[in-house]
Each structure stands twice: as C-alpha cells, then as structure tokens.
Amino acid sequence: MREKILDKAGEMFLNLGFKSVTMDDIASEIGVSKKTIYTHFKNKTDLVKEVTNYMFDNICCGIDLIHEQEKNPIIELFEIKRFVINHLKNEKSSPQYQLQKYYPKIFSDIKKKQFDFMQNSIKENLQRGLDQQLFRDTIDVEFISRIYFYGMTAIKDNELFPTQMFSQNELLDKYLEYHLRGICTNKGIEVIEKQLKEIK
C-alpha cells in the first residue's frame, strides 16, 4: 500500500502541483480512507518528502541502468533524456517551483542529492566523450559538469520558462543540444545531427 500511495501521490504532485493536492484528493484517487494514508505517513510534509525521495531513487536507478550499458556518451544523454521525460510524464505543473516555495527544506535536500548524483554521472560521461574524441580535449570537466547541472535546474524554473510557452520535453531537447554543441568535436557533431533527425 505504501508504494501505491507514493506512486499515485507522485503522479498527482507532478501534474497538479505540491500545493494544490490534498491528502483527501490522494485518498479519493486511490480509493482508501485518509486514515490509511496516515498509517504510512505522519502528515503531508512527510508524504512530500518521501515522494520526492522515491521519485529521485527511481530515476537514479533508471539512469544507472542506461549508464551501465556504456554506449556512445552522446547517445547515452539522449537516452537518459527520453527516460526522464517518460518517467515524469511531461509534468504539467511546475513542481520544482512549488517544492522550493512551500517545502524549502525538502527542496534543498533533494537538490543536494541531485547534484551529487549528477556530478558523478556527467563527469564519467564527459570523460568517455573525451576518450572517444567526441568532446573537445580543451573542455574543463569540473566546470562543464557544474554548468550542466545548473542549466538542467534552471530550465525547470517556471518563471524563466513558462509551461504555456515551453513543454518540458522541448526544453530538455533544446538544452541537451545546446550543451552538446558547445563541447563536441566534428566527430561528435555528426552523432548529434543523427540523434536530432531521429527525434523529429
């Protein structure tokens, strides 16, 4: 039951927002009493914390599975993007903004976890790209890995990129192309062009 609550609450938070979804809404959607939810979670804040960690862990596991295949690092990034979009179901609300506004401590904790995970992942990706001569040998891996993380965070800012102007899928496509074109060799650019043709 706990996992069912986490799945449904996560889906509702992504689509409707952390603020607007109530415990009553979640109970009604699952078809249980609110009391049942409270046997697993102390309050809504506790549920939000557990949901964000649950979603984070699921996404990390999926990215790790892609990572373990050790594919071409450019293709790997496109596959990770597709996985994340599919997992988040092209979120219709602005969950990051709402999480930051209404649950700042949870937001801060999850951002730190995201940073630590992404740093390891993207640095390994960059190094493989260098080894395969897909990325320019003049890039600074530490700098690029941090810029990549903060760029990925920034495109989720609903004030900078309103959902009525940009879909999450479109933003990730544009940002990934922007990131890769800035670091790729001519050999890498050929791989990007092929990937872009496949997603159009």
Short mmCIF file of all heavy atoms in Angstrom, two decimals, residues 112-135:
data_model
loop_
_atom_site.label_atom_id
_atom_site.label_comp_id
_atom_site.label_asym_id
_atom_site.label_seq_id
_atom_site.Cartn_x
_atom_site.Cartn_y
_atom_site.Cartn_z
N LYS A 112 20.55 18.82 -3.31
CA LYS A 112 21.91 18.38 -2.93
C LYS A 112 22.13 16.94 -3.42
O LYS A 112 23.18 16.61 -3.97
CB LYS A 112 22.06 18.45 -1.41
CG LYS A 112 23.34 17.82 -0.84
CD LYS A 112 24.56 18.67 -1.13
CE LYS A 112 25.79 18.25 -0.34
NZ LYS A 112 26.25 16.91 -0.59
N LYS A 113 21.12 16.08 -3.24
CA LYS A 113 21.23 14.70 -3.70
C LYS A 113 21.35 14.64 -5.23
O LYS A 113 22.13 13.86 -5.77
CB LYS A 113 20.02 13.88 -3.23
CG LYS A 113 20.03 13.58 -1.74
CD LYS A 113 18.76 12.87 -1.31
CE LYS A 113 18.72 11.44 -1.77
NZ LYS A 113 17.56 10.70 -1.21
N GLN A 114 20.56 15.48 -5.91
CA GLN A 114 20.62 15.53 -7.37
C GLN A 114 22.00 15.97 -7.84
O GLN A 114 22.55 15.39 -8.79
CB GLN A 114 19.56 16.50 -7.91
CG GLN A 114 18.14 15.99 -7.80
CD GLN A 114 17.12 17.06 -8.18
OE1 GLN A 114 17.41 18.26 -8.13
NE2 GLN A 114 15.93 16.64 -8.54
N PHE A 115 22.53 16.98 -7.19
CA PHE A 115 23.84 17.50 -7.57
C PHE A 115 24.91 16.42 -7.43
O PHE A 115 25.71 16.19 -8.34
CB PHE A 115 24.22 18.72 -6.72
CG PHE A 115 25.59 19.26 -7.01
CD1 PHE A 115 25.83 20.01 -8.16
CD2 PHE A 115 26.65 19.02 -6.16
CE1 PHE A 115 27.10 20.50 -8.45
CE2 PHE A 115 27.92 19.50 -6.43
CZ PHE A 115 28.14 20.24 -7.57
N ASP A 116 24.93 15.75 -6.28
CA ASP A 116 25.93 14.72 -6.03
C ASP A 116 25.84 13.59 -7.06
O ASP A 116 26.85 13.12 -7.60
CB ASP A 116 25.78 14.13 -4.62
CG ASP A 116 26.17 15.14 -3.54
OD1 ASP A 116 26.87 16.12 -3.85
OD2 ASP A 116 25.74 14.94 -2.38
N PHE A 117 24.60 13.16 -7.35
CA PHE A 117 24.41 12.07 -8.31
C PHE A 117 24.82 12.51 -9.72
O PHE A 117 25.55 11.80 -10.41
CB PHE A 117 22.94 11.62 -8.31
CG PHE A 117 22.64 10.57 -9.35
CD1 PHE A 117 22.97 9.24 -9.12
CD2 PHE A 117 22.05 10.92 -10.56
CE1 PHE A 117 22.71 8.27 -10.09
CE2 PHE A 117 21.79 9.96 -11.52
CZ PHE A 117 22.12 8.63 -11.29
N MET A 118 24.35 13.69 -10.12
CA MET A 118 24.61 14.14 -11.49
C MET A 118 26.08 14.45 -11.73
O MET A 118 26.59 14.25 -12.83
CB MET A 118 23.74 15.35 -11.83
CG MET A 118 22.33 14.98 -12.24
SD MET A 118 21.37 16.38 -12.82
CE MET A 118 22.23 16.81 -14.33
N GLN A 119 26.76 14.95 -10.70
CA GLN A 119 28.19 15.23 -10.85
C GLN A 119 28.95 13.97 -11.23
O GLN A 119 29.75 13.97 -12.17
CB GLN A 119 28.76 15.81 -9.55
CG GLN A 119 28.46 17.28 -9.35
CD GLN A 119 29.08 18.14 -10.44
OE1 GLN A 119 30.26 18.41 -10.44
NE2 GLN A 119 28.27 18.57 -11.37
N ASN A 120 28.72 12.90 -10.51
CA ASN A 120 29.40 11.64 -10.81
C ASN A 120 29.04 11.14 -12.21
O ASN A 120 29.90 10.72 -12.98
CB ASN A 120 29.05 10.57 -9.77
CG ASN A 120 29.65 10.88 -8.42
OD1 ASN A 120 30.71 11.49 -8.33
ND2 ASN A 120 28.99 10.46 -7.35
N SER A 121 27.75 11.20 -12.52
CA SER A 121 27.25 10.68 -13.79
C SER A 121 27.78 11.49 -14.97
O SER A 121 28.28 10.92 -15.95
CB SER A 121 25.72 10.69 -13.78
OG SER A 121 25.21 10.21 -14.99
N ILE A 122 27.67 12.81 -14.90
CA ILE A 122 28.05 13.64 -16.04
C ILE A 122 29.56 13.68 -16.23
O ILE A 122 30.06 13.70 -17.36
CB ILE A 122 27.44 15.07 -15.95
CG1 ILE A 122 27.48 15.76 -17.32
CG2 ILE A 122 28.16 15.93 -14.94
CD1 ILE A 122 26.57 15.15 -18.35
N LYS A 123 30.32 13.64 -15.13
CA LYS A 123 31.78 13.64 -15.26
C LYS A 123 32.28 12.37 -15.94
O LYS A 123 33.18 12.41 -16.76
CB LYS A 123 32.45 13.82 -13.88
CG LYS A 123 32.45 15.27 -13.42
CD LYS A 123 33.44 15.54 -12.30
CE LYS A 123 32.89 15.13 -10.96
NZ LYS A 123 33.75 15.61 -9.85
N GLU A 124 31.65 11.26 -15.60
CA GLU A 124 32.02 9.99 -16.23
C GLU A 124 31.66 10.03 -17.71
O GLU A 124 32.42 9.57 -18.57
CB GLU A 124 31.30 8.83 -15.52
CG GLU A 124 31.94 7.47 -15.71
CD GLU A 124 31.57 6.80 -17.01
OE1 GLU A 124 30.50 7.14 -17.58
OE2 GLU A 124 32.34 5.96 -17.48
N ASN A 125 30.49 10.62 -18.03
CA ASN A 125 30.04 10.76 -19.41
C ASN A 125 31.02 11.65 -20.20
O ASN A 125 31.41 11.33 -21.32
CB ASN A 125 28.63 11.36 -19.43
CG ASN A 125 28.10 11.59 -20.83
OD1 ASN A 125 28.40 12.60 -21.46
ND2 ASN A 125 27.30 10.67 -21.34
N LEU A 126 31.43 12.75 -19.60
CA LEU A 126 32.36 13.68 -20.25
C LEU A 126 33.71 13.00 -20.51
O LEU A 126 34.29 13.17 -21.58
CB LEU A 126 32.56 14.93 -19.39
CG LEU A 126 31.37 15.90 -19.32
CD1 LEU A 126 31.58 16.93 -18.22
CD2 LEU A 126 31.15 16.60 -20.67
N GLN A 127 34.18 12.24 -19.54
CA GLN A 127 35.48 11.58 -19.70
C GLN A 127 35.45 10.56 -20.83
O GLN A 127 36.39 10.46 -21.63
CB GLN A 127 35.90 10.89 -18.38
CG GLN A 127 37.35 10.43 -18.38
CD GLN A 127 38.33 11.54 -18.70
OE1 GLN A 127 38.37 12.58 -18.03
NE2 GLN A 127 39.13 11.36 -19.76
N ARG A 128 34.34 9.82 -20.94
CA ARG A 128 34.23 8.86 -22.04
C ARG A 128 34.17 9.56 -23.38
O ARG A 128 34.71 9.10 -24.38
CB ARG A 128 33.00 7.96 -21.85
CG ARG A 128 33.31 6.72 -21.03
CD ARG A 128 32.21 5.69 -21.07
NE ARG A 128 31.01 6.17 -20.42
CZ ARG A 128 29.83 6.31 -21.03
NH1 ARG A 128 29.69 5.99 -22.29
NH2 ARG A 128 28.79 6.76 -20.36
N GLY A 129 33.49 10.72 -23.40
CA GLY A 129 33.43 11.51 -24.63
C GLY A 129 34.79 12.03 -25.05
O GLY A 129 35.12 12.08 -26.24
N LEU A 130 35.60 12.38 -24.07
CA LEU A 130 36.98 12.81 -24.34
C LEU A 130 37.81 11.65 -24.87
O LEU A 130 38.55 11.79 -25.85
CB LEU A 130 37.62 13.38 -23.06
CG LEU A 130 37.14 14.76 -22.61
CD1 LEU A 130 37.59 15.06 -21.19
CD2 LEU A 130 37.65 15.83 -23.56
N ASP A 131 37.68 10.50 -24.22
CA ASP A 131 38.44 9.31 -24.62
C ASP A 131 38.11 8.89 -26.06
O ASP A 131 38.97 8.39 -26.78
CB ASP A 131 38.17 8.15 -23.67
CG ASP A 131 38.69 8.41 -22.26
OD1 ASP A 131 39.56 9.30 -22.09
OD2 ASP A 131 38.23 7.72 -21.33
N GLN A 132 36.83 9.10 -26.45
CA GLN A 132 36.39 8.69 -27.78
C GLN A 132 36.50 9.82 -28.80
O GLN A 132 36.04 9.70 -29.93
CB GLN A 132 34.94 8.18 -27.71
CG GLN A 132 34.79 6.92 -26.88
CD GLN A 132 33.34 6.49 -26.70
OE1 GLN A 132 32.50 6.69 -27.59
NE2 GLN A 132 33.02 5.89 -25.56
N GLN A 133 37.09 10.93 -28.37
CA GLN A 133 37.30 12.11 -29.23
C GLN A 133 36.00 12.69 -29.78
O GLN A 133 35.95 13.24 -30.87
CB GLN A 133 38.27 11.77 -30.38
CG GLN A 133 39.65 11.35 -29.87
CD GLN A 133 40.61 11.01 -31.00
OE1 GLN A 133 40.19 10.48 -32.03
NE2 GLN A 133 41.87 11.32 -30.81
N LEU A 134 34.93 12.54 -28.98
CA LEU A 134 33.64 13.12 -29.34
C LEU A 134 33.51 14.52 -28.74
O LEU A 134 32.78 15.36 -29.25
CB LEU A 134 32.51 12.22 -28.82
CG LEU A 134 32.41 10.85 -29.48
CD1 LEU A 134 31.49 9.94 -28.68
CD2 LEU A 134 31.93 10.96 -30.92
N PHE A 135 34.21 14.75 -27.64
CA PHE A 135 34.23 16.05 -26.98
C PHE A 135 35.61 16.68 -27.11
O PHE A 135 36.62 15.97 -27.11
CB PHE A 135 33.87 15.91 -25.49
CG PHE A 135 32.52 15.29 -25.22
CD1 PHE A 135 32.28 14.61 -24.04
CD2 PHE A 135 31.49 15.38 -26.14
CE1 PHE A 135 31.05 14.03 -23.77
CE2 PHE A 135 30.24 14.80 -25.90
CZ PHE A 135 30.02 14.12 -24.71
#
